[in-house]
Amino acid sequence: MTPDLMKKIKPSVKAARLSDIYQFSEKIADIPGLINLTLGEPDFPTPRHVKDAAIAAINADQSHYTATRGLLETRTAAAQFLRNKYQLDYDPTTQVVITNGVTEAMYVALETFVNPQDEILMPTPAFPVYDSLLELNEARLVEINTANDQFQLTPARLQTELAAHPKAKAIILNFPANPTGVSYCRKQVQELAAVLAKTDLLVISDEIYSELTYDQTHTSIAEFIPAQTLLFNGLSKSHAMTGWRIGVVAGPADIMTEIAKVHELISTSVMTAAQIAAAAAFRDGEDDAAQMRVEYERRRDYLHMALNDLGFANQLPQGAFYLFAKIPQQFNQNSYEFCLEVARKARVGLIPGSSFGAGGEGYVRISYATSQAKLEEAVARLKAYVNG
Ligand SMILES: Cc1ncc(COP(=O)(O)O)c(C=O)c1O
C-alpha cells in the first residue's frame, strides 16, 4: 500500500499560498522577446571589494560554522553601518543577528511571536511574503488598505485601526515600500512612532530598501521606538547581493536571545564566506549604493513621466525600484488579466497589483531594476499597445 502522504501535510502549510509574483513571472517567462519588468532584482554586479573578500575567505579555508548570531566581525560592521547611516544604537554582541536574507528574518520573527489567531496589522498593498507567512502561522492579517491615502499610512488612520483592533499583537511596516515605492519623511516617521509608542504593539519594520531612498534621507522608526521595534535590513538591494543571502535583524537584547534561538534551529549560521563578504560590504562599502541610487533615480524619473504620459497614472516613488501605476481607464481593470494580455500582446512583463493585497487591484507594479535601454523599449511597446 502506498501511503497518502499528502493527507498528512499540516493544513496550515497546504493553506499557505506562495507569492503570485514568481508564479506570474514564470507563466510569462517563455514569451519570445519579452522585456521583463517583473522582478526586484538589482541589475548591477556585487561590488568588486565584496567579491574579493569572499574569495579570500574561501581560499583561507573559512569554511566552518560561525557563532549562531553571525561572526562578531559581521555583526559589528552591520551595527556600525546602522549607526552611521541611521543613528541607530545596537550592541553587536547582544542586539544583532545575521540571517539568510530578510526572508529568513521575517520567518524567524513571526515564528518567535505569532500564535494562531493573533491579529497582525499591515498597510497594503504590501510585499506578499508577509501574508503567506502569517497564513503559515495561522494568524489573522488585518490589511490597512492605503490606496485612498497615496499608499501612505497616516497617523490618524493608524489610530483608527488600533481602536478597531485593540488586541492586535504586531504591525508590519515596510518603507521604502515594495510595491509602491512610497516612503516617509522624518516627521511622518516620528508621528507614526508617537502613536505606536502609546501601545504595546511589536513593530516589525522592514527597511531593506533604506539605501535606495530618493530626494530625502531615510529615517528608521527604530530611532524613535527601539524598545518595541524589530528592525530588518540587509544587503540584497543596497549592495546588489540578492544571491548572497545576507539579512540583519536588530532589536532589544532579551528579544534577540529568543530570535537567535529560532535562527539557530532553522539554519545554525549563515554561510561563513558570505558573512565575511557582508562585513566588507558594511564596513568598506558604506556608500556602495550611491552609484546605483543615481542610476535608479534617473530611471525612476524617466519611467514616472513616460508612464503618466501614456495614461498609467502613478506617483513619484520615494524609494526602492518599483513604480505602482494605475491601469488606464479604457482597459480591463482586472490586473491579472491585463498583465497577461500586455505580456502576450505588447511583450512587456508587469506584475498584477492584485498580488499585493487590498488596494492593489487596478494597478500594476513595474520594476526599474533594469537598463534604461530596456525601459525605453518597454515604454515604446506599451505606447503602441495603448494606441493600438
Ligand atoms: C520588502 C521586502 N522585504 C524583503 C525582501 C527579501 O529580501 P532578502 O533578499 O534579504 O531575503 C524583499 C525582496 O524583494 C522585499 O521586497
Side-chain angles (χ1 to χ4, degrees):
M1 175 187 151
T2 311
D4 186 355
L5 298 184
M6 283 305 285
K7 278 202 183 129
K8 297 177 194 276
I9 288 182
K10 284 161 65 177
S12 57
V13 171
K14 265 201 186 150
R17 289 164 296 123
L18 279 182
S19 152
D20 292 353
I21 298 181
Y22 298 105
Q23 276 175 29
F24 189 80
S25 295
E26 270 174 31
K27 193 177 172 78
I28 62 173
D30 291 340
I31 295 175
L34 182 86
I35 295 186
N36 200 342
L37 307 181
T38 59
L39 290 184
E41 173 82 68
D43 60 320
F44 295 98
T46 296
R48 183 73 255 168
H49 72 101
V50 177
K51 292 193 277 199
D52 287 343
I55 291 165
I58 291 169
N59 286 332
D61 292 320
Q62 300 265 20
S63 51
H64 303 281
Y65 297 127
T66 71
T68 283
R69 291 171 188 242
L71 286 166
L72 188 56
E73 175 196 357
T74 311
R75 282 182 277 150
T76 303
Q80 194 62 44
F81 182 87
L82 294 173
R83 182 185 313 274
N84 294 349
K85 292 277 172 156
Y86 310 121
Q87 294 83 50
L88 301 178
D89 187 17
Y90 290 115
D91 176 349
T93 57
T94 57
Q95 294 191 277
V96 176
V97 171
I98 306 296
T99 54
N100 284 290
V102 167
T103 306
E104 191 214 315
M106 288 157 49
Y107 185 96
V108 169
L110 297 186
E111 177 74 27
T112 305
F113 277 96
V114 175
N115 284 314
Q117 303 311 317
D118 278 349
E119 278 185 331
I120 311 293
L121 304 171
M122 183 169 74
T124 61
F127 183 49
V129 176
Y130 285 106
D131 189 5
S132 304
L133 284 173
L134 291 173
E135 279 175 348
L136 200 58
N137 284 283
E138 299 175 71
R140 284 162 44 195
L141 169 64
V142 177
E143 295 182 298
I144 308 176
N145 180 346
T146 60
N148 292 332
D149 292 315
Q150 278 90 44
F151 299 117
Q152 282 193 327
L153 177 64
T154 63
R157 182 71 191 282
L158 177 58
Q159 256 157 350
T160 307
E161 295 294 336
L162 290 171
H165 302 280
K167 293 200 180 128
K169 187 181 248 185
I171 183 165
I172 299 172
L173 300 174
N174 165 228
F175 60 96
N178 175 7
T180 58
V182 156
S183 200
Y184 299 92
C185 70
R186 186 172 182 78
K187 183 163 167 283
Q188 287 171 312
V189 176
Q190 203 163 7
E191 284 170 358
L192 289 172
V195 174
L196 290 166
K198 295 198 186 102
T199 72
D200 67 350
L201 247 66
L202 163 71
V203 179
I204 292 178
S205 194
D206 178 348
E207 301 180 19
I208 191 170
Y209 293 101
S210 59
E211 282 295 285
L212 302 182
T213 297
Y214 315 114
D215 313 319
Q216 62 187 7
T217 46
H218 178 80
T219 304
S220 173
I221 200 155
E223 185 185 335
F224 304 110
I225 44 172
Q228 71 188 103
T229 302
L230 260 188
L231 175 76
F232 298 163
N233 214 312
L235 293 173
S236 284
K237 316 292 174 172
S238 60
H239 289 67
M241 288 174 67
T242 47
W244 296 74
R245 312 308 302 127
I246 295 289
V248 177
V249 51
D254 49 353
I255 300 297
M256 294 312 294
T257 302
E258 304 304 313
I259 292 276
K261 216 191 271 177
V262 180
H263 166 65
E264 176 168 343
L265 291 171
I266 288 176
S267 67
T268 306
S269 57
V270 173
M271 183 208 179
T272 307
Q275 286 196 56
I276 291 170
F282 283 125
R283 191 184 49 232
D284 311 322
E286 236 185 54
D287 292 319
D288 283 353
Q291 262 180 307
M292 297 183 245
R293 186 167 53 229
V294 169
E295 184 56 35
Y296 288 136
E297 196 170 334
R298 196 177 299 143
R299 298 175 192 171
R300 169 199 73 155
D301 292 344
Y302 164 74
L303 206 56
H304 166 66
M305 296 286 282
L307 288 177
N308 269 326
D309 286 349
L310 287 182
F312 286 85
N314 69 90
Q315 55 190 80
L316 188 67
Q318 295 151 307
F321 36 52
Y322 310 104
L323 199 137
F324 209 56
K326 188 90 190 70
I327 300 171
Q329 213 65 63
Q330 69 270 32
F331 292 106
N332 185 349
Q333 295 293 302
N334 177 314
S335 56
Y336 190 90
E337 289 170 11
F338 176 78
C339 287
L340 211 51
E341 178 164 318
V342 167
R344 288 182 180 145
K345 294 202 173 146
R347 289 177 298 123
V348 176
L350 312 172
I351 292 288
S354 57
S355 313
F356 304 99
E361 187 54 301
Y363 288 82
V364 293
R365 188 193 78 175
I366 303 158
S367 164
Y368 50 90
T370 195
S371 70
Q372 176 70 18
K374 279 196 183 158
L375 291 180
E376 285 177 20
E377 176 59 23
V379 166
R381 291 182 188 184
L382 287 173
K383 188 172 185 178
Y385 175 76
V386 167
N387 295 334

